[in-house]
Amino acid sequence: MTLTVHLFARAADLAGAGVVRVELPPTASVSDLRAALAARFPSLAALLERSAVAINHDFADDAHVLTASDEIAVIPPVGGGGPVCE
């Protein structure tokens, strides 16, 4: 199946695109998706380990089985900035 994956923030920067297509077998999981993205974009590998994956607007664990109609987003961790105001 061909999946459309939306990459955000640093993930998009490292892949050079905000949206990529990935070909995976019909029983693929989020873990398989991470592996396929890391193989295609080696510079993403370390970031993918720390990134959240959302399927149809809900965060999914690595065991979640994907379907061709899923809306998929890779969301890297967000770092805080300046001081906290009280």
Side-chain angles (χ1 to χ4, degrees), residues 16-85:
V19 178
V20 297
R21 292 192 173 273
V22 178
E23 189 69 31
L24 291 174
T27 58
S29 66
V30 169
S31 180
D32 299 321
L33 174 66
R34 287 182 196 271
L37 287 170
R40 184 166 166 194
F41 305 102
S43 60
L44 268 180
L47 184 62
L48 285 168
E49 293 174 12
R50 302 185 325 267
S51 296
V53 175
I55 309 298
N56 302 322
H57 304 276
D58 290 320
F59 291 113
D61 64 20
D62 281 348
H64 181 94
V65 176
L66 302 167
T67 67
S69 63
D70 285 338
E71 182 177 332
I72 304 168
V74 174
I75 306 162
V78 178
V84 176
C85 298

